[in-house]
Amino acid sequence: MYARLAAFTRAETGRLVSAIEAARLGRTAPAVARPLAVAVMAEVLGLGQADPGTILTWYDGIVAAVQAEGRRRGPRPR
């Protein structure tokens, strides 16, 4: 599993960087980080070519729910 995921991640990173170079984008981090994270998680979860926008909507919902729960519970004791 590790080797397959590593190969997928390298290939996806190469694809994203090539697209950035072709588009001559100045800031590479935003153009790589979020799309790469979505692609890797889709691969890990077996979602294949799922729509990245849909996956990001799920992610945003999870983050919002976790933040709301944290606010509800208040600060953790140290």
Side-chain angles (χ1 to χ4, degrees), residues 13-70:
T13 301
R15 185 189 71 74
L16 290 167
V17 170
S18 294
I20 291 166
E21 289 171 345
R24 298 182 181 200
L25 296 175
R27 297 181 59 212
T28 57
V32 172
R34 199 159 157 111
L36 181 60
V38 169
V40 170
M41 288 311 302
E43 180 70 14
V44 167
L45 296 172
L47 301 175
Q49 298 296 318
D51 176 49
T54 299
I55 295 171
L56 288 171
T57 298
W58 297 339
Y59 174 78
D60 291 341
I62 292 167
V63 169
V66 169
Q67 289 174 339
E69 181 63 17

